[in-house]
DNA sequence: GCCAGTATTGGCATATTATGCCAATTTACA
DNA sequence: TGTAAATTGGCATAATATGCCAATACTGGC
C-alpha cells in the first residue's frame, strides 16, 4: 500500500460512487491503472465493500442506544446463544467485546421507546446468563464519521 | 416512501456500487424509474451518500476504543471548544451526547496504545472543563453492521 | 362505475463509463 | 550499468447511465 492507494481509499470513503474516471483524476493516475489498484484493494480485503449511508430518522429509526451488557457466566453455550441472537437481530447494529465494567457494548436502533422496550424484554432479557443490562440513550450526535484517516503504510 | 423505495435502500446499503441495471432488476422495476427513485431519495436526503468500507487493521488502525467523557461544567465555551476539537480530530469517528453517567461517548481508533495515549494526553485532556475520561478497549468485534433494517413507512 | 387529472412507468437514442489487452515506461536490484 | 519485474497509459469494445416521450397506472370527484 503506497501513497496512491491511500489516496484511493480516502477518496472512496468520501464518495463510494466516484466513477473510475473521477477517481483516476483525483489520485493522479490514468483510468486503467487506477481501476486495477481498486480491484487489487478489493481482492486483498482492504476495501471490504461499499454501502449507502441513510438518514436514520427518515427511515423510521430516530432512537440510538448504547447498551452495556454483562454475562453471569461465560459458558460456551451462553456466549454462543448470545452472539447468535446478536447476529440475527437487525436492530442491533454493532456489538463489541469490551474491557472494563461490561462484557459487551451494543449499538442498537429503534423506532420508538416502546420498540426498544420490546427488543430488550423479548430478545435480550430472554437470553440465558445475562447478568445486567445498562442502557444509555443518544440524544444528540456530535460526529458520525465513517472515514478512517488512512495514510501511507509499509507492508500489505 | 413505499415498498420499492425500501427495497432500493436495503439493496444499496448491502452494496452501494450496484449498477442501476442490477438494482432495477432486484427491486422489480425497469432501469429508468429505478434511477429516478434513487435520485429522489438522494435529493430528499434519505440517502446521504456512499462510502467504501475498509479494513481497519489493514489500514493501520487495529485499536478501537469507546470512551465516556464527563464535563465539569456545560458552559457554552467549554462545550463549543470540546465539540470543535472532536470534529477536527480524524481518529475520533463518532461522538454521541448521552443520557446516564457520562455526557459524551466517543468511538476512537488508534494505531497503537501509544498512539491512543498521545491522543488522550495531547488532545482530549487539554480541553477545558473535562471532569473525567473513562476508556474501554474493544478486544473483539461480534457484529458491525451498517445496514438499517428499512421497512415501508408512511409520510416523507 | 365512470371520467378527468396527475403521477409513475418503460423503452429508446445518445453520452458516459468500465474493461481487457498490448506496447512503453518506470522501478528494483545485482 | 544492465536485466527482469512491475506498473503505467492508450485504445477498442462492451456495458452502463441519462434524458425524453408516449403509454400505463393511480387518484379523487361526481
Amino acid at each position: 500500500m503506497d501513497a496512491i492507494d491511500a489516496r484511493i481509499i480516502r477518496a472512496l470513503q468520501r464518495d463510494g460512487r466516484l466513477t473510475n474516471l473521477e477517481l483516476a483524476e483525483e489520485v493522479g493516475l490514468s483510468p486503467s491503472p487506477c481501476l486495477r489498484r481498486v480491484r487489487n484493494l478489493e481482492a486483498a480485503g482492504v476495501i471490504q465493500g461499499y454501502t449507502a449511508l441513510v438518514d436514520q430518522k427518515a427511515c423510521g429509526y430516530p432512537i440510538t442506544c448504547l447498551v452495556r451488557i454483562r454475562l453471569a457466566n461465560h459458558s460456551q453455550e451462553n456466549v454462543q446463544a448470545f452472539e447468535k441472537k446478536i447476529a440475527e437481530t437487525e436492530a442491533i447494529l454493532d456489538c463489541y467485546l469490551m474491557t472494563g465494567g461490561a462484557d459487551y457494548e451494543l449499538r442498537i436502533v429503534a423506532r420508538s421507546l416502546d420498540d426498544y422496550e420490546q427488543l430488550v424484554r423479548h430478545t435480550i432479557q430472554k437470553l440465558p446468563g445475562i447478568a445486567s443490562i445498562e442502557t444509555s440513550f443518544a440524544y444528540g450526535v456530535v460526529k458520525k464519521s465513517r472515514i478512517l484517516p488512512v495514510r501511507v503504510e509499509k507492508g500489505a
Side-chain angles (χ1 to χ4, degrees), chain A:
Chain A
M1 173 138 58
D2 61 7
I4 294 182
D5 283 343
R7 265 181 285 172
I8 288 175
I9 290 169
R10 263 191 179 276
L12 287 178
Q13 285 188 100
R14 182 170 48 70
D15 180 358
R17 292 211 65 143
L18 283 172
T19 68
N20 185 51
L21 296 180
E22 291 166 335
L23 182 62
E25 164 88 9
E26 184 164 337
V27 305
L29 225 51
S30 71
S32 219
C34 182
L35 182 65
R36 216 162 331 132
R37 277 169 178 268
V38 172
R39 295 288 176 262
N40 286 343
L41 289 169
E42 289 167 354
V46 179
I47 295 176
Q48 301 177 315
Y50 301 87
T51 190
L53 304 173
V54 305
D55 182 326
Q56 275 189 220
K57 283 184 196 160
C59 292
Y61 287 84
I63 294 178
T64 300
C65 323
L66 300 182
V67 182
R68 283 175 288 282
I69 293 181
R70 276 189 297 127
L71 297 187
N73 71 77
H74 292 241
S75 71
Q76 184 128 351
E77 308 103 84
N78 279 3
V79 169
Q80 280 187 358
F82 181 79
E83 298 192 354
K84 181 165 182 288
K85 200 63 170 179
I86 298 290
E88 289 169 2
T89 306
E90 290 188 320
I92 301 175
L93 297 186
D94 302 335
C95 174
Y96 293 98
L97 271 161
M98 300 304 295
T99 65
D103 292 319
Y104 294 97
E105 177 153 343
L106 283 59
R107 183 166 60 101
I108 298 181
V109 294
R111 296 180 164 278
S112 64
L113 290 178
D114 277 357
D115 185 34
Y116 179 67
E117 190 200 355
Q118 297 299 312
L119 179 73
V120 172
R121 285 177 115 79
H122 295 134
T123 303
I124 299 177
Q125 284 182 346
K126 292 238 172 108
L127 289 167
I130 299 277
S132 72
I133 303 173
E134 188 190 344
T135 299
S136 298
F137 293 97
Y139 65 92
V141 179
V142 176
K143 183 174 189 177
K144 198 167 182 178
S145 169
R146 293 158 206 82
I147 302 184
L148 217 59
V150 187
R151 292 193 200 83
V152 187
E153 292 295 315
K154 14 186 169 182

